[in-house]
């Protein structure tokens, strides 16, 4: 049973690191603000989700697992709304790029 | 398992550092607003993994607070950044 | 050199690099963004050093709320920034650099010369946890063993609020702090401000409650509540209360007032000021913490909202 847990953890965290890597590459290589914002919001949030999924089998009980999932929910909600607001600011400062 | 998780922490931290360099160098203020977003995702991942590696279960609570406060900081960035644009004469618009 | 050491070096490098950039960048807005990022990252360092209570406070106050105060100040100073383009003379800058380097070197030498193991009262704090029935040593020190300091800190917060309110102009005296924020009630920001604060309030109360036995406490919980209140204000869903309102002032003095009352009760019925009877210690401390939670949340929110700018009649 603990072997299955470890496999899930390794798989989840590896996928998370991969998506963080993808997001950072996008952040470094994309040409302008809007595309970089896109890379940051989508890929990094997915990376966090996979890390959370990978760490779920390692937690002590139901309460810790619920805390992990609620952290992910908060970050998703925040990311979805804040990226819209930042994009609007980018458009206004770039005069409708 | 511990070595693997520590390596993951190091990798994500390196991504965080690289991302910060790219964001803070960004030509406009809208780029720099993304800093709180970056820390909100990568920083929280580092924190959660760190908590598991070093056996500090309360790190999850710190991650919880970090999520909420990073959100609040992002909104404050956008609000104060927007008011800069308004006084510079650009069209303010509304947060639709 | 194992992986853990490499990670620590990487973390220190990231935080140091960010700090140097924050100081070096000329634009105030960017410097504030860097400062907030720095504050949030130092919380990671505290967790690595196994000081989770400090990490909670750093993330809440140092990173989030403190940085946003600076952001508001930077926004207000925007007009005067153009006037201060003159730089201090070379002598002044050189002396400042040498002085700062000397202080940093002195701190480094002191830390490296600390006796190992460092003298500490931690074992006796843990041994005396039976006095209050709570197992978090930090909460025990804050609320019981050094309760006087905590009470006086709350009074200091009150004085800070009085100072901020006294900056109001004559027309705005007793009025509402800050501008009236506008946002589309069907828009994205209003959506976030309706969805997140209820969950945030639960988290804030949870942090207070878990402070008895795990890292947490009233201060961090109050900071979370304050940030949720400010989020609702920034989205324009609620207006700031007029500072002359009676219930607002009652909440502000409620925390330190209850603390003082319990302290005087200890003087009258017990052995000393702020002596808790062992049987009632935990309920007393808990009620003080609840009152302090409300006071701290209101105080921090009002400190960030600023001095009254609009008269209360509108």
């Amino acid at each position: 049973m603990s072997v299955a847990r470890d496999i899930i953890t390794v798989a989840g965290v590896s996928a998370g690191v991969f998506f963080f890597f993808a997001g950072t590459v996008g952040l470094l290589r994309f040409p302008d603000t809007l595309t970089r914002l896109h890379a940051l919001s989508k890929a990094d949030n997915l990376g966090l989700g996979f890390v959370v999924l990978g760490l779920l089998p390692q937690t002590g009980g139901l309460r810790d697992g619920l805390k992990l999932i609620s952290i992910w929910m908060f970050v998703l909600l925040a990311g979805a709304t804040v990226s819209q607001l930042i994009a609007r600011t980018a458009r206004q400062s770039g005069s409708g790029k | 398992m511990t070595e693997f998780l520590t390596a993951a922490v190091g990798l994500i931290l390196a991504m965080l550092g690289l991302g910060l360099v790219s964001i803070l160098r960004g030509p406009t203020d809208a780029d720099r607003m993304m800093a709180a977003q970056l820390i909100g995702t990568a920083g929280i991942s580092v924190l959660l993994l760190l908590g598991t590696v070093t056996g500090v279960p309360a790190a999850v609570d710190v991650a919880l607070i970090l999520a909420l406060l990073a959100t609040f900081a992002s909104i404050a960035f956008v609000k104060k950044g927007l008011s800069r644009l308004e006084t510079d004469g650009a069209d303010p618009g509304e947060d639709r | 050199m194992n992986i853990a050491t490499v990670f620590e070096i990487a973390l220190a490098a990231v935080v140091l690099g960010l700090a140097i950039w924050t100081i070096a960048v000329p634009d105030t807005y960017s410097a504030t963004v860097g400062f907030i990022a720095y504050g949030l990252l130092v919380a990671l360092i505290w967790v690595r050093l196994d000081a989770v209570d400090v990490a909670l406070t750093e993330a809440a106050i140092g990173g989030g709320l403190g940085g946003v105060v600076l952001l508001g100040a930077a926004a207000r100073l925007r007009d005067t920034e153009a006037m201060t383009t003159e730089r201090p003379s070379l002598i002044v800058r050189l002396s400042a650099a040498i002085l700062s380097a000397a202080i940093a070197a002195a701190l480094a030498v002191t830390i490296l010369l600390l006796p190992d193991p460092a003298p500490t009262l931690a074992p006796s704090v843990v041994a005396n946890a039976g006095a209050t029935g709570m197992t978090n040593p930090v909460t025990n020190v804050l609320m019981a063993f050094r309760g006087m300091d905590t009470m006086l800190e709350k009074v200091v917060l009150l004085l800070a609020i009085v100072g901020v309110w006294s900056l109001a102009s004559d027309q705005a005296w007793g009025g509402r702090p800050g501008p009236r924020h506008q946002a589309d009630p069907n828009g994205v920001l209003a959506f976030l401000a309706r969805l997140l604060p209820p969950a945030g309030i639960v988290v804030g109360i949870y942090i207070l409650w878990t402070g008895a036995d795990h890292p947490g406490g009233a201060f961090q919980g109050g900071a979370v509540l304050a940030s949720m209140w400010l989020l609702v204000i920034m989205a324009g869903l609620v207006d700031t209360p007029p500072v002359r309102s009676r219930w607002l002032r009652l909440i502000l003095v409620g925390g330190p007032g209850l603390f003082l009352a319990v302290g005087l009760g200890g003087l009258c019925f017990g052995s000393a000021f702020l002596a808790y009877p062992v049987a009632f210690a935990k309920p007393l401390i808990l009620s003080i913490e609840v009152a302090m939670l409300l006071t701290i949340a209101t105080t921090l929110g009002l400190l960030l909202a600023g001095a009254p700018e609009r008269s209360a009649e509108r």
Side-chain angles (χ1 to χ4, degrees), chain A residues 36-57:
Chain A
R36 290 162 76 198
L37 181 61
H38 189 92
L40 180 65
S41 325
K42 305 295 184 298
D44 274 16
N45 275 320
L46 199 52
L48 175 65
F50 273 116
V51 167
V52 164
L53 273 179
L55 285 180
L56 273 179

Side-chain angles (χ1 to χ4, degrees), chain B residues 24-61:
Chain B
L24 293 176
R25 215 173 33 151
T28 69
D29 279 340
D31 290 278
R32 302 204 187 92
M33 289 180 196
M34 298 197 274
Q37 277 264 73
L38 175 65
I39 295 186
T41 49
I44 289 186
S45 309
V46 170
L47 207 47
L48 291 175
L49 288 170
L50 198 56
T52 314
V53 163
T54 58
V56 178
V60 181
D61 289 341

Side-chain angles (χ1 to χ4, degrees), chain A residues 63 67 74 77 81 84-85, chain C residues 188-189 192 195-196 199 206:
Chain A
R63 208 174 75 161
K67 267 199 257 184
F74 285 159
L77 176 64
T81 43
Q84 290 283 328
L85 295 172
Chain C
V188 163
L189 184 54
L192 180 66
L195 213 47
L196 193 61
Y206 160 73

Side-chain angles (χ1 to χ4, degrees), chain C residues 53-107:
Chain C
D53 292 85
V54 187
L56 285 171
T57 315
E58 180 74 44
I61 313 278
L65 291 181
V68 175
V69 170
L70 284 181
L71 208 54
R76 280 175 208 274
L77 286 177
R78 198 185 323 120
D79 301 326
T80 60
E81 236 173 36
M83 296 197 294
T84 56
T85 45
E86 42 167 289
R87 304 182 73 197
S89 70
L90 184 62
I91 302 284
V92 173
R93 280 187 281 141
L94 211 52
S95 324
I98 293 179
L99 192 57
S100 312
I103 294 180
L107 280 174

Side-chain angles (χ1 to χ4, degrees), chain C residues 176-245:
Chain C
R176 299 175 186 268
R180 179 72 164 107
H181 288 269
Q182 303 284 348
D184 179 10
N186 295 319
V188 163
L189 184 54
F191 170 71
L192 180 66
R194 285 199 185 98
L195 213 47
L196 193 61
I201 291 177
V202 171
V203 170
I205 299 180
Y206 160 73
I207 297 281
L208 165 75
W209 190 258
T210 193
D213 299 323
H214 302 286
F219 204 54
Q220 298 94 329
V224 172
L225 290 184
S227 69
M228 291 297 113
W229 185 31
L230 286 166
L231 186 61
V232 174
I233 289 178
M234 285 200 285
L237 295 178
V238 162
D239 200 3
T240 50
V243 300
R244 67 173 183 213
S245 104

